[in-house]
Structures are given as structure tokens and as C-alpha cells.
Coordinates of all heavy atoms in Angstrom, one line a residue:
M171 N 14.0 109.0 105.9 CA 13.9 107.6 105.3 C 15.3 107.1 105.5 O 16.3 107.7 105.1 CB 13.6 107.7 103.9 CG 12.3 108.0 103.6 SD 11.9 107.9 101.8 CE 10.3 107.1 101.8
K172 N 15.4 105.9 106.0 CA 16.6 105.1 106.1 C 17.3 104.8 104.7 O 16.7 104.6 103.7 CB 16.4 103.8 106.8 CG 17.7 103.3 107.4 CD 17.3 102.3 108.3 CE 18.6 101.7 109.0 NZ 18.3 100.7 110.0
N173 N 18.5 104.9 104.6 CA 19.3 104.7 103.4 C 19.2 105.7 102.3 O 19.5 105.4 101.2 CB 19.0 103.3 102.9 CG 19.4 102.2 103.9 OD1 20.5 102.3 104.5 ND2 18.7 101.1 104.0
K174 N 18.7 106.9 102.7 CA 18.6 108.0 101.6 C 19.0 109.3 102.4 O 18.8 109.4 103.6 CB 17.2 108.0 101.1 CG 16.8 106.9 100.3 CD 15.5 107.0 99.6 CE 15.2 105.6 98.8 NZ 13.9 105.8 98.2
V175 N 19.2 110.3 101.6 CA 19.6 111.6 102.1 C 18.8 112.5 101.4 O 18.7 112.4 100.0 CB 21.1 111.9 102.2 CG1 21.7 112.0 100.8 CG2 21.3 113.2 102.9
L176 N 18.1 113.6 102.0 CA 17.3 114.7 101.3 C 18.3 115.9 101.1 O 18.8 116.4 102.0 CB 16.2 115.1 102.2 CG 15.3 116.1 101.6 CD1 14.5 115.7 100.4 CD2 14.2 116.6 102.7
L177 N 18.5 116.2 99.8 CA 19.2 117.4 99.4 C 18.4 118.5 98.8 O 17.5 118.2 98.1 CB 20.3 117.0 98.3 CG 21.3 115.8 98.8 CD1 22.2 115.5 97.7 CD2 22.1 116.3 100.0
N178 N 18.8 119.7 99.2 CA 18.3 120.9 98.5 C 19.1 121.3 97.4 O 20.3 121.9 97.7 CB 18.0 122.0 99.5 CG 17.0 121.6 100.6 OD1 15.9 121.1 100.2 ND2 17.3 122.0 101.8
V179 N 18.8 121.1 96.2 CA 19.7 121.3 95.1 C 19.5 122.6 94.2 O 18.4 122.6 93.7 CB 19.8 119.9 94.1 CG1 20.7 120.2 93.0 CG2 20.1 118.8 95.0
L180 N 20.4 123.5 94.2 CA 20.2 124.6 93.4 C 20.6 124.4 91.9 O 21.6 123.7 91.7 CB 21.2 125.7 94.0 CG 21.3 127.0 93.1 CD1 19.9 127.7 93.1 CD2 22.4 127.8 93.6
L181 N 19.7 124.8 90.9 CA 20.1 124.8 89.6 C 20.3 126.1 89.2 O 19.4 127.0 89.1 CB 18.9 124.1 88.8 CG 19.0 123.9 87.3 CD1 20.3 123.0 87.0 CD2 17.8 123.5 86.6
P182 N 21.6 126.5 89.0 CA 22.0 127.9 88.6 C 21.3 128.5 87.5 O 20.9 129.7 87.4 CB 23.5 127.9 88.5 CG 23.9 126.7 89.3 CD 22.8 125.6 89.2
A183 N 21.0 127.7 86.4 CA 20.3 128.1 85.3 C 19.0 128.7 85.5 O 18.5 129.6 84.8 CB 20.1 126.9 84.2
T184 N 18.3 128.2 86.6 CA 16.9 128.7 87.0 C 16.9 129.5 88.2 O 15.9 130.2 88.6 CB 15.9 127.6 87.2 OG1 16.3 126.7 88.2 CG2 15.9 126.7 85.8
Q185 N 18.1 129.6 89.0 CA 18.1 130.2 90.3 C 17.0 129.6 91.2 O 16.7 130.3 92.2 CB 18.0 131.6 90.2 CG 19.3 132.2 89.7 CD 20.6 131.9 90.6 OE1 20.6 132.3 91.7 NE2 21.6 131.3 89.9
R186 N 16.7 128.3 91.1 CA 15.6 127.7 91.9 C 16.3 126.5 92.7 O 17.2 125.9 92.0 CB 14.4 127.2 91.0 CG 13.6 128.5 90.5 CD 12.4 128.1 89.7 NE 11.5 127.4 90.5 CZ 10.4 126.6 90.2 NH1 10.3 126.4 88.9 NH2 9.7 126.1 91.1
T187 N 15.7 126.1 93.7 CA 16.1 124.9 94.5 C 15.2 123.8 94.5 O 13.8 124.2 94.5 CB 16.3 125.4 96.0 OG1 17.3 126.4 96.0 CG2 16.9 124.2 96.8
Y188 N 15.5 122.8 94.3 CA 14.7 121.5 94.2 C 15.2 120.5 95.2 O 16.3 120.4 95.5 CB 14.9 120.9 92.7 CG 14.7 121.8 91.6 CD1 15.6 122.7 91.1 CD2 13.4 122.0 91.1 CE1 15.4 123.6 90.2 CE2 13.1 123.0 90.1 CZ 14.1 123.7 89.6 OH 13.9 124.6 88.7
E189 N 14.2 119.7 95.7 CA 14.6 118.6 96.8 C 14.6 117.4 96.1 O 13.7 117.0 95.2 CB 13.3 118.6 97.6 CG 13.4 119.8 98.8 CD 12.5 119.5 99.8 OE1 11.5 118.6 99.8 OE2 12.6 120.3 100.9
F190 N 15.6 116.7 96.5 CA 15.8 115.2 95.9 C 16.2 114.4 97.1 O 17.2 114.7 98.0 CB 17.1 115.3 95.0 CG 16.9 115.8 93.6 CD1 17.1 117.1 93.3 CD2 16.1 115.1 92.6 CE1 16.8 117.7 92.1 CE2 15.8 115.6 91.4 CZ 16.2 116.9 91.1
R191 N 15.6 113.3 97.2 CA 15.9 112.2 98.2 C 16.7 111.2 97.4 O 16.2 110.5 96.4 CB 14.7 111.6 98.7 CG 15.1 110.6 99.9 CD 13.8 110.3 100.8 NE 13.2 111.4 101.3 CZ 13.5 112.0 102.5 NH1 14.7 111.6 103.2 NH2 12.9 113.0 103.1
V192 N 18.0 111.0 97.8 CA 19.0 110.3 96.9 C 19.4 109.0 97.8 O 19.7 109.2 99.0 CB 20.2 111.1 96.8 CG1 21.2 110.4 95.9 CG2 19.8 112.4 95.9
P193 N 19.4 107.8 97.3 CA 19.9 106.7 97.8 C 21.4 106.8 98.3 O 22.2 107.3 97.4 CB 19.7 105.5 96.9 CG 18.7 106.1 95.9 CD 18.8 107.5 95.9
L194 N 21.8 106.3 99.4 CA 23.1 106.6 99.9 C 24.1 105.8 99.1 O 25.3 106.1 99.0 CB 23.2 106.3 101.4 CG 22.5 107.1 102.3 CD1 22.6 106.6 103.9 CD2 22.9 108.6 102.3
D195 N 23.6 104.7 98.5 CA 24.6 103.8 97.7 C 24.9 104.4 96.3 O 25.9 103.8 95.7 CB 24.1 102.4 97.7 CG 24.0 101.8 99.0 OD1 24.9 102.1 99.9 OD2 23.2 100.9 99.2
L196 N 24.3 105.4 95.8 CA 24.6 106.0 94.6 C 26.0 106.7 94.6 O 26.3 107.3 95.7 CB 23.6 107.0 94.1 CG 22.3 106.5 93.5 CD1 21.5 107.6 93.0 CD2 22.6 105.6 92.4
T197 N 26.7 106.7 93.5 CA 27.9 107.6 93.5 C 27.4 108.9 93.3 O 26.3 109.2 92.8 CB 28.8 107.2 92.4 OG1 28.3 107.4 91.2 CG2 29.4 105.7 92.6
I198 N 28.3 109.9 93.6 CA 27.9 111.4 93.4 C 27.6 111.5 91.9 O 26.8 112.3 91.5 CB 29.1 112.2 93.8 CG1 29.3 112.1 95.3 CG2 28.8 113.6 93.5 CD1 28.1 112.5 96.2
E199 N 28.5 110.9 91.0 CA 28.3 111.1 89.6 C 27.0 110.5 89.1 O 26.2 111.2 88.4 CB 29.5 110.3 88.9 CG 29.3 110.3 87.3 CD 30.5 109.5 86.7 OE1 30.8 108.5 87.2 OE2 31.1 110.1 85.7
E200 N 26.6 109.4 89.7 CA 25.2 108.8 89.2 C 24.1 109.7 89.7 O 23.1 109.9 88.9 CB 25.1 107.5 89.9 CG 25.9 106.3 89.3 CD 26.1 105.1 90.1 OE1 25.7 105.1 91.3 OE2 26.2 104.1 89.5
G201 N 24.2 110.2 91.0 CA 23.2 111.0 91.5 C 23.1 112.4 90.8 O 22.0 112.9 90.4
A202 N 24.2 113.0 90.5 CA 24.2 114.3 89.8 C 23.7 114.0 88.4 O 22.8 114.9 87.9 CB 25.6 114.8 89.6
R203 N 24.0 113.0 87.7 CA 23.4 112.8 86.4 C 21.9 112.5 86.4 O 21.1 113.0 85.5 CB 24.1 111.6 85.7 CG 25.5 111.9 85.2 CD 26.1 110.7 84.5 NE 27.5 111.1 84.0 CZ 28.3 110.3 83.5 NH1 28.0 109.0 83.4 NH2 29.5 110.6 83.1
L204 N 21.4 111.7 87.4 CA 20.1 111.6 87.6 C 19.4 112.9 87.8 O 18.3 113.1 87.1 CB 19.9 110.6 88.7 CG 18.3 110.1 89.0 CD1 17.7 109.6 87.8 CD2 18.3 109.2 90.2
M205 N 19.8 113.6 88.8 CA 19.2 115.0 89.1 C 19.1 115.8 87.8 O 18.2 116.5 87.5 CB 19.9 115.6 90.2 CG 19.7 115.0 91.6 SD 20.5 116.0 92.9 CE 21.8 114.7 93.1
S206 N 20.2 115.8 87.1 CA 20.4 116.6 85.9 C 19.2 116.2 84.9 O 18.6 117.1 84.2 CB 21.7 116.4 85.2 OG 21.8 117.1 84.1
R207 N 19.1 114.9 84.6 CA 18.1 114.4 83.6 C 16.7 114.8 84.0 O 15.9 115.2 83.3 CB 18.2 112.9 83.4 CG 19.3 112.6 82.6 CD 19.4 111.1 82.2 NE 19.5 110.1 83.3 CZ 20.5 109.5 83.8 NH1 21.6 110.0 83.5 NH2 20.4 108.7 84.9
I208 N 16.4 114.6 85.4 CA 15.0 115.0 85.9 C 14.9 116.5 85.8 O 13.7 116.9 85.3 CB 14.9 114.5 87.4 CG1 14.9 113.1 87.5 CG2 13.7 115.2 88.1 CD1 15.1 112.5 88.9
L209 N 15.8 117.3 86.1 CA 15.5 118.8 85.9 C 15.5 119.2 84.4 O 14.8 120.1 84.1 CB 16.6 119.5 86.6 CG 16.6 119.5 88.2 CD1 17.8 120.1 88.8 CD2 15.2 119.9 88.6
A210 N 16.2 118.5 83.6 CA 16.1 118.9 82.2 C 14.6 118.6 81.6 O 14.2 119.3 80.7 CB 17.1 118.1 81.4
T211 N 13.9 117.7 82.2 CA 12.6 117.3 81.7 C 11.6 118.4 82.3 O 10.6 118.8 81.7 CB 12.1 115.9 82.1 OG1 12.0 115.8 83.5 CG2 12.9 114.9 81.3
R212 N 12.0 118.9 83.5 CA 11.1 119.9 84.2 C 11.4 121.3 83.7 O 10.5 122.2 83.6 CB 11.3 119.8 85.6 CG 10.5 120.7 86.4 CD 10.7 120.6 88.0 NE 9.9 121.6 88.6 CZ 8.9 121.2 89.5 NH1 8.7 120.1 89.9 NH2 8.3 122.2 90.1
E213 N 12.6 121.6 83.3 CA 13.0 122.9 83.0 C 13.6 123.0 81.5 O 14.7 123.5 81.3 CB 14.0 123.4 84.0 CG 13.6 123.6 85.3 CD 12.7 124.7 85.5 OE1 12.4 125.5 84.7 OE2 12.0 124.7 86.6
Q214 N 12.8 122.5 80.5 CA 13.3 122.2 79.2 C 13.7 123.5 78.6 O 14.7 123.5 77.7 CB 12.2 121.6 78.4 CG 11.9 120.3 78.8 CD 10.7 119.7 78.1 OE1 10.0 120.3 77.2 NE2 10.4 118.4 78.3
V215 N 13.2 124.7 78.8 CA 13.5 125.9 78.2 C 14.8 126.5 78.7 O 15.6 127.0 77.9 CB 12.3 127.0 78.5 CG1 12.8 128.4 77.9 CG2 11.1 126.5 77.9
R216 N 15.1 126.2 80.0 CA 16.4 126.9 80.5 C 17.5 125.9 80.8 O 18.6 126.4 81.1 CB 16.0 127.5 81.9 CG 15.0 128.7 81.7 CD 14.9 129.4 83.1 NE 13.7 130.2 83.0 CZ 13.1 130.7 84.1 NH1 13.6 130.4 85.3 NH2 12.0 131.3 83.9
Y217 N 17.2 124.6 80.7 CA 18.4 123.7 81.1 C 18.3 122.5 80.2 O 17.2 121.9 79.9 CB 18.1 123.3 82.6 CG 19.2 122.4 83.1 CD1 20.5 122.9 83.3 CD2 18.9 121.1 83.3 CE1 21.4 122.0 83.8 CE2 19.9 120.2 83.9 CZ 21.2 120.7 84.1 OH 22.1 119.9 84.5
A218 N 19.5 122.0 79.8 CA 19.6 120.8 79.0 C 20.6 120.0 79.8 O 21.7 120.4 80.3 CB 20.2 121.1 77.7
A219 N 20.3 118.7 80.0 CA 21.1 117.8 80.7 C 22.3 117.4 80.0 O 22.3 117.3 78.7 CB 20.3 116.5 81.1
T220 N 23.5 117.3 80.7 CA 24.7 116.7 80.1 C 25.3 115.6 81.0 O 25.0 115.5 82.2 CB 25.8 117.9 79.9 OG1 26.2 118.2 81.2 CG2 25.2 119.0 79.2
E221 N 26.2 114.8 80.4 CA 26.8 113.8 81.2 C 28.0 114.4 82.1 O 28.4 113.9 83.0 CB 27.3 112.7 80.2 CG 26.3 111.9 79.6 CD 25.3 111.2 80.5 OE1 26.0 110.4 81.4 OE2 24.2 111.3 80.5
D222 N 28.3 115.6 81.7 CA 29.5 116.4 82.4 C 28.8 117.3 83.3 O 29.0 118.5 83.2 CB 30.3 117.1 81.4 CG 31.5 117.6 82.0 OD1 32.0 117.0 83.1 OD2 32.0 118.6 81.6
V223 N 28.2 116.8 84.5 CA 27.6 117.5 85.6 C 28.3 117.1 86.9 O 28.6 116.0 87.1 CB 26.1 117.3 85.6 CG1 25.7 116.0 85.8 CG2 25.4 118.4 86.5
D224 N 28.5 118.1 87.7 CA 29.1 117.9 89.1 C 28.1 118.3 90.1 O 27.3 119.2 89.9 CB 30.4 118.6 89.2 CG 31.5 117.9 88.3 OD1 31.6 116.7 88.4 OD2 32.2 118.6 87.6
L225 N 28.4 117.9 91.3 CA 27.6 118.5 92.5 C 28.6 119.1 93.4 O 29.6 118.7 93.8 CB 27.0 117.3 93.2 CG 25.9 117.5 94.2 CD1 24.7 118.2 93.5 CD2 25.4 116.2 94.8
M226 N 28.2 120.3 93.8 CA 29.0 121.1 94.7 C 28.3 121.5 96.1 O 27.1 121.8 96.0 CB 29.4 122.5 94.1 CG 30.2 123.4 94.9 SD 30.7 124.9 94.0 CE 29.2 125.8 94.0
L227 N 28.9 121.4 97.1 CA 28.3 121.7 98.5 C 28.3 123.2 98.6 O 29.1 123.9 98.2 CB 29.2 121.1 99.6 CG 29.1 119.6 99.7 CD1 30.1 119.3 101.0 CD2 27.7 119.1 100.0
L228 N 27.1 123.7 99.2 CA 27.0 125.1 99.3 C 27.0 125.5 100.8 O 26.8 126.8 101.1 CB 25.5 125.5 98.7 CG 25.5 125.3 97.2 CD1 24.1 125.8 96.8 CD2 26.5 126.1 96.5
A229 N 27.3 124.6 101.7 CA 27.3 125.0 103.2 C 28.1 124.0 103.9 O 28.4 122.9 103.4 CB 26.0 125.2 103.8
G230 N 28.6 124.4 105.1 CA 29.3 123.4 105.9 C 30.8 123.4 105.6 O 31.3 124.2 105.0
E231 N 31.3 122.4 106.2 CA 32.8 122.3 106.2 C 33.3 122.3 104.8 O 34.4 122.8 104.4 CB 33.3 120.9 106.9 CG 34.8 120.8 106.8 CD 35.2 119.4 107.5 OE1 34.4 119.0 108.5 OE2 36.0 118.9 107.0
G232 N 32.7 121.6 103.8 CA 33.0 121.5 102.4 C 32.5 122.5 101.5 O 32.4 122.3 100.3
E233 N 32.0 123.6 102.1 CA 31.4 124.6 101.2 C 32.2 125.1 100.0 O 33.4 125.4 100.2 CB 31.0 125.9 102.1 CG 30.2 126.9 101.3 CD 29.9 128.1 102.2 OE1 30.1 128.1 103.4 OE2 29.3 129.1 101.7
G234 N 31.6 125.0 98.8 CA 32.3 125.4 97.6 C 33.1 124.3 97.0 O 33.6 124.5 95.8
A235 N 33.1 123.2 97.6 CA 33.9 122.0 97.1 C 33.1 121.2 96.1 O 31.9 120.9 96.5 CB 34.5 121.2 98.3
V236 N 33.6 120.9 95.0 CA 33.1 119.9 94.1 C 33.3 118.6 94.6 O 34.4 118.2 95.0 CB 33.7 120.1 92.7 CG1 33.1 119.0 91.7 CG2 33.4 121.6 92.1
L237 N 32.2 117.8 94.7 CA 32.3 116.5 95.4 C 32.9 115.5 94.4 O 32.8 115.5 93.2 CB 30.9 115.9 95.7 CG 30.2 116.9 96.8 CD1 28.7 116.3 97.1 CD2 30.9 117.0 98.0
N238 N 33.7 114.6 95.0 CA 34.3 113.5 94.2 C 33.2 112.6 93.5 O 32.4 112.0 94.2 CB 35.3 112.7 95.1 CG 36.0 111.6 94.3 OD1 35.7 111.2 93.3 ND2 37.0 111.0 95.0
P239 N 33.2 112.6 92.2 CA 32.2 111.8 91.5 C 32.3 110.4 91.7 O 31.2 109.6 91.6 CB 32.4 112.1 90.0 CG 33.9 112.6 90.1 CD 34.2 113.3 91.3
R240 N 33.3 109.8 92.2 CA 33.5 108.4 92.5 C 33.0 107.9 93.9 O 32.9 106.7 94.1 CB 34.9 107.9 92.1 CG 35.2 108.0 90.7 CD 36.6 107.6 90.4 NE 36.9 107.7 88.9 CZ 37.6 108.7 88.4 NH1 38.0 109.7 89.2 NH2 37.7 108.7 87.1
E241 N 32.9 108.9 94.8 CA 32.5 108.6 96.2 C 31.0 108.4 96.1 O 30.2 108.9 95.3 CB 32.9 109.7 97.1 CG 34.4 109.8 97.5 CD 34.9 108.5 98.2 OE1 34.0 107.7 98.7 OE2 36.1 108.4 98.4
T242 N 30.6 107.7 97.1 CA 29.1 107.6 97.4 C 28.5 108.7 98.3 O 29.3 109.4 99.0 CB 28.7 106.2 98.0 OG1 29.3 106.2 99.3 CG2 29.3 105.1 97.1
F243 N 27.3 108.9 98.2 CA 26.5 109.7 99.1 C 26.8 109.3 100.5 O 26.9 110.1 101.5 CB 25.1 110.0 98.8 CG 24.8 110.7 97.5 CD1 24.7 110.2 96.3 CD2 24.7 112.1 97.6 CE1 24.5 110.9 95.2 CE2 24.5 112.9 96.5 CZ 24.5 112.3 95.3
K244 N 26.8 108.0 100.7 CA 27.0 107.4 102.0 C 28.4 108.0 102.6 O 28.4 108.2 103.8 CB 27.0 105.9 102.0 CG 27.2 105.2 103.3 CD 27.3 103.6 103.2 CE 25.9 103.1 103.0 NZ 25.9 101.7 102.9
F245 N 29.4 108.0 101.8 CA 30.7 108.4 102.3 C 30.5 109.9 102.9 O 31.1 110.1 103.9 CB 31.6 108.6 101.2 CG 33.0 109.1 101.5 CD1 34.0 108.4 102.1 CD2 33.2 110.5 101.3 CE1 35.2 109.1 102.5 CE2 34.5 111.1 101.5 CZ 35.4 110.4 102.1
Y246 N 29.9 110.8 102.2 CA 29.7 112.2 102.7 C 28.8 112.3 104.0 O 29.2 113.1 104.8 CB 29.3 113.1 101.5 CG 30.5 113.3 100.5 CD1 30.4 112.7 99.4 CD2 31.5 114.2 100.8 CE1 31.5 112.8 98.4 CE2 32.5 114.4 99.9 CZ 32.4 113.7 98.7 OH 33.5 113.8 97.8
V247 N 27.8 111.5 104.0 CA 26.9 111.4 105.1 C 27.7 110.9 106.4 O 27.7 111.5 107.4 CB 25.7 110.6 104.9 CG1 24.9 110.3 106.2 CG2 24.8 111.3 103.8
S248 N 28.5 109.8 106.2 CA 29.1 109.2 107.3 C 30.3 110.1 107.8 O 30.7 110.0 109.0 CB 29.7 107.9 106.9 OG 30.7 107.9 105.9
H249 N 30.9 111.0 106.9 CA 31.9 111.9 107.3 C 31.4 113.2 107.8 O 32.1 114.2 108.1 CB 32.9 112.1 106.2 CG 33.8 110.9 106.1 ND1 33.5 109.8 105.3 CD2 35.0 110.6 106.6 CE1 34.3 108.9 105.5 NE2 35.4 109.4 106.1
G250 N 29.9 113.4 107.9 CA 29.4 114.6 108.4 C 29.4 115.8 107.6 O 29.1 116.8 107.9
Q251 N 29.7 115.6 106.3 CA 29.7 116.7 105.3 C 28.4 116.9 104.7 O 28.2 117.9 104.0 CB 30.9 116.4 104.3 CG 32.2 116.5 104.8 CD 33.3 116.3 103.8 OE1 33.3 115.1 103.2 NE2 34.0 117.2 103.6
M252 N 27.4 115.9 104.8 CA 26.2 115.9 104.1 C 25.1 115.3 105.0 O 25.5 114.4 105.8 CB 26.3 115.2 102.8 CG 25.1 115.3 101.9 SD 25.3 114.3 100.5 CE 26.5 115.2 99.5
M253 N 24.0 115.9 105.1 CA 22.9 115.4 106.0 C 21.5 115.8 105.3 O 21.6 116.6 104.4 CB 23.0 115.9 107.5 CG 22.9 117.4 107.5 SD 23.3 118.0 109.2 CE 25.0 118.0 109.2
D254 N 20.4 115.4 105.9 CA 19.1 115.8 105.4 C 19.1 117.4 105.3 O 19.4 117.9 106.4 CB 17.9 115.2 106.1 CG 17.7 113.8 105.8 OD1 18.1 113.3 104.8 OD2 17.0 113.1 106.6
G255 N 18.7 117.9 104.2 CA 18.6 119.4 104.2 C 19.9 120.1 103.6 O 19.9 121.2 103.5
S256 N 20.9 119.3 103.4 CA 22.1 120.0 102.9 C 21.9 120.7 101.6 O 21.4 120.1 100.6 CB 23.2 118.9 102.8 OG 23.7 118.5 104.0
P257 N 22.5 121.9 101.5 CA 22.4 122.6 100.2 C 23.5 122.2 99.3 O 24.7 122.1 99.7 CB 22.4 124.1 100.7 CG 23.1 124.1 101.8 CD 22.9 122.7 102.5
A258 N 23.2 122.0 98.1 CA 24.2 121.6 97.0 C 23.8 122.4 95.8 O 22.7 122.9 95.6 CB 24.2 120.1 96.9
A259 N 24.6 122.3 94.8 CA 24.3 123.0 93.4 C 24.8 122.0 92.3 O 25.9 121.4 92.5 CB 25.0 124.2 93.3
L260 N 24.1 121.9 91.2 CA 24.5 121.1 90.2 C 25.3 122.1 89.3 O 24.8 123.2 89.0 CB 23.2 120.7 89.2 CG 22.6 119.4 89.7 CD1 21.4 119.2 88.8 CD2 23.5 118.3 89.6
I261 N 26.5 121.8 88.9 CA 27.3 122.7 88.1 C 27.9 121.9 87.0 O 27.9 120.7 86.9 CB 28.4 123.3 89.0 CG1 29.3 122.2 89.6 CG2 27.9 124.2 90.0 CD1 30.6 122.7 90.3

């Protein structure tokens, strides 16, 4: 889909991966918070959403790097650090 990126997001609390299609114009902070709230409703026993959540890349050039919360997903896609299927983790 144009203007969105598909991410495979690991939730360490459950050790499960979830797919999210995220609009490119969202900031990393907005996207991480949205994913956190969605997962908190799905995994109520093991996970509680917080406003203090970050997104970390799990592969590629930026593996292990916590993404800048003020940048947009478009920034990381345009710089080749993120693409459809990229693995990331909510931390």
C-alpha cells in the first residue's frame, strides 16, 4: 500500500511478533504509542500500554538502534533503514 509501511513488531513481554501497517507520515513516537495501545487491548494479561514506549530496529544497518521519536516513518523508509517486512521491537 502506498504511503504506508508494513512492520513486524516484536512485543518482548509476550515474545510474539505482530504485523502493523503504519502511515508514513506518523512520527515514530505516535506510531509506537498507537501500537502499544492496540497490543495492550489484545494482551491485557501480559502487557500494559505506557506513554513511554520506543521502537527499536531488529535488523539491517540500524539494528539495535532506538529510533528517534520525532522522526517520521517516511524518513526511515526514504533512507533505506525501514521497508515492508522490517522487524522492530516495542521497548
Side-chain angles (χ1 to χ4, degrees):
M171 291 182 137
K172 199 171 187 175
N173 297 323
K174 294 184 181 179
V175 64
L176 178 67
L177 299 177
N178 294 315
V179 179
L180 172 69
L181 182 62
T184 63
Q185 288 299 302
R186 294 182 63 197
T187 302
Y188 306 85
E189 287 187 342
F190 286 96
R191 189 164 299 277
V192 184
L194 294 177
D195 291 331
L196 278 183
T197 65
I198 298 298
E199 179 178 44
E200 293 167 332
R203 286 180 179 176
L204 179 60
M205 288 181 251
S206 177
R207 287 192 300 268
I208 290 169
L209 291 175
T211 62
R212 183 178 174 122
E213 299 289 348
Q214 295 175 355
V215 174
R216 296 185 195 168
Y217 182 72
T220 68
E221 293 297 307
D222 187 28
V223 63
D224 289 308
L225 197 61
M226 178 176 71
L227 291 177
L228 296 179
E231 181 182 322
E233 182 175 355
V236 175
L237 301 176
N238 181 343
R240 291 184 181 95
E241 286 295 347
T242 63
F243 286 92
K244 183 184 285 184
F245 172 84
Y246 288 101
V247 169
S248 68
H249 285 85
Q251 293 179 298
M252 190 180 287
M253 64 189 78
D254 281 343
S256 289
L260 280 178
I261 56 170

